[in-house]
Amino acid sequence: MATQKTPRIDPLTVEVVELIGTVVARYHEEYEDAAAEHALTGAQARLLGLLSLESLPMRRLAQQLKCEPSNVTGIVDRLEARGLVERRPDPADRRVKLAAATAEGRKVARGLRDSLNFAREPLAGLSEEERLTLRDLLRRMLTA
């Protein structure tokens, strides 16, 4: 019976993984702070950000947020009570309800995006060629 060897992870890979983790943690921290400035939870802010781009059925929202549909219903209820989101019938299937950002919801989502400086400021220090390289490397990692 052949034994399977665990691949040795080199120090450079460990350092890159730790740096990616640090970047993600700092981004999430800033995102949570920006959400709080708008009296939103992180989950509410993420949902509002998605809906500012397009109206979506609750089931798709749950899939994109990686949570249960019942959680999405509660988040939409709270955003709807604040006038940031509304439910609409789906023109393609009137049995399905779409969640959609209101004009005020899109304004809040835009303000939230505009207040996220952590990723934008360091990236601005990179040349266009460096940003393109970084983008392409991240895409490759995600499709590997």
Side-chain angles (χ1 to χ4, degrees):
M1 180 177 199
T3 59
Q4 218 174 13
K5 288 186 178 182
T6 303
R8 187 177 159 284
I9 299 176
D10 63 283
L12 177 58
T13 299
V14 171
E15 182 181 6
V16 170
V17 169
E18 288 174 356
L19 287 168
I20 290 171
T22 301
V23 167
V24 168
R26 285 186 57 193
Y27 177 81
H28 279 292
E29 183 180 324
E30 183 172 323
Y31 197 87
E32 293 289 329
D33 291 345
E37 287 177 22
H38 294 276
L40 297 169
T41 65
Q44 289 171 336
R46 284 187 291 282
L47 189 141
L48 188 58
L50 288 171
L51 293 179
S52 72
L53 303 173
E54 65 178 322
S55 302
L56 293 167
M58 307 290 256
R59 188 166 306 283
R60 279 231 354 253
L61 277 169
Q63 290 168 342
Q64 290 192 3
L65 294 173
K66 296 182 179 17
C67 67
E68 292 297 317
S70 60
N71 290 346
V72 169
T73 299
I75 295 168
V76 169
D77 287 345
R78 288 185 285 285
L79 292 173
E80 191 173 35
R82 289 187 53 192
L84 302 175
V85 167
E86 63 187 8
R87 287 177 171 90
R88 301 177 182 158
D90 184 342
D93 184 349
R94 298 193 61 75
R95 296 169 297 172
V96 175
K97 290 287 185 191
L98 298 177
T102 62
E104 181 63 20
R106 287 188 297 278
K107 180 179 165 188
V108 169
R110 193 170 34 259
L112 214 144
R113 271 192 303 274
D114 291 347
S115 68
L116 295 173
N117 296 319
F118 168 69
R120 193 173 30 251
E121 288 176 5
L123 287 173
L126 301 177
S127 69
E128 181 177 1
E129 183 180 342
E130 289 170 324
R131 290 192 313 269
L132 286 168
T133 300
L134 178 59
R135 180 204 60 194
D136 294 344
L137 290 170
L138 291 170
R139 283 181 176 170
R140 250 179 58 200
M141 285 178 66
L142 292 171
T143 58

